[in-house]
Amino acid sequence: MSKVMRKGQLVETIGELPKVGSVAPDFTLVKTDLSEITLANLKGSKTILNIFPSIDTPTCARSVRQFNKKAAENENVKVLCVSADLPFASIRFCAAEGIENVIVASSFRSSFGKDYEVTFTTGLLKGLLSRAIVVIDEDGKVIYTQQVSDTSDEPDYEKALAVL
């Protein structure tokens, strides 16, 4: 399990992020139009998984905005912003913010949190996803991960983008 901080409290996740060099676990997520997206749909593109608890929190919203801006600057890169939020919350946020360069997807009817070992198992956010980054190459291999040590902190965008 990973131990991270949330507002001064130690909380735990179900496990550890996939190891760099390993094959990324497959997933099925739900996009804002309620269609599904899988890792197989992204084969041939580099993929950044921007994982977070909820789009309705300031830090999570900033990460979506930042990756939306950065994604437009990189060719052959897909950014999936993943939370357990319902697609309806995500579509509302994206419409209000003009988010067009990332794919916002929900884990609400999948085992994504378990498969990527990012589900909080303790604390007030128990059952939601921790803030993490996983970068996957065109062949489905994990090339970078970051479990953010405090959920109020943003991920290291530059390190995630540098591996691309």
Side-chain angles (χ1 to χ4, degrees):
M1 85 191 87
S2 289
K3 296 182 181 194
V4 298
M5 298 300 289
R6 182 190 176 273
K7 295 187 176 183
Q9 300 261 334
L10 188 64
V11 292
E12 298 173 345
T13 66
I14 197 168
E16 303 287 332
L17 292 171
K19 300 288 182 218
V20 170
S22 68
V23 174
D26 198 11
F27 57 76
T28 300
L29 298 168
V30 180
K31 298 190 305 183
T32 56
D33 65 0
L34 301 179
S35 67
E36 294 181 341
I37 187 166
T38 66
L39 182 57
N41 297 139
L42 302 166
K43 192 152 178 107
S45 296
K46 294 177 182 169
T47 303
I48 298 173
L49 301 178
N50 174 32
I51 307 163
F52 52 87
S54 175
I55 206 159
D56 285 322
T57 64
T59 306
C60 300
R62 275 194 306 275
S63 74
V64 173
R65 287 186 206 105
Q66 281 296 317
F67 274 118
N68 185 63
K69 185 168 74 173
K70 305 271 186 202
E73 302 167 0
N74 290 281
E75 288 187 37
N76 199 34
V77 174
K78 304 282 187 206
V79 179
L80 258 68
C81 296
V82 182
S83 72
D85 289 315
L86 292 176
F88 312 112
S90 299
I91 199 165
R92 173 187 38 79
F93 175 84
C94 292
E97 297 283 335
I99 303 296
E100 299 175 338
N101 300 319
V102 298
I103 301 165
V104 181
S106 175
S107 67
F108 86 101
R109 59 180 181 210
S110 77
S111 61
F112 178 88
K114 179 181 175 220
D115 298 339
Y116 278 77
E117 301 192 26
V118 292
T119 303
F120 282 121
T121 58
T122 62
L124 294 175
L125 300 181
K126 183 177 178 178
L128 295 179
L129 307 179
S130 68
R131 186 176 320 289
I133 300 294
V134 177
V135 181
I136 303 166
D137 73 9
E138 301 95 321
D139 299 316
K141 296 262 185 184
V142 176
I143 57 174
Y144 174 81
T145 65
Q146 178 192 13
Q147 173 65 68
V148 179
S149 61
D150 189 310
T151 59
S152 61
D153 293 339
E154 293 178 65
D156 190 329
Y157 306 107
E158 298 311 316
K159 281 188 180 177
L161 293 165
V163 300
L164 301 174

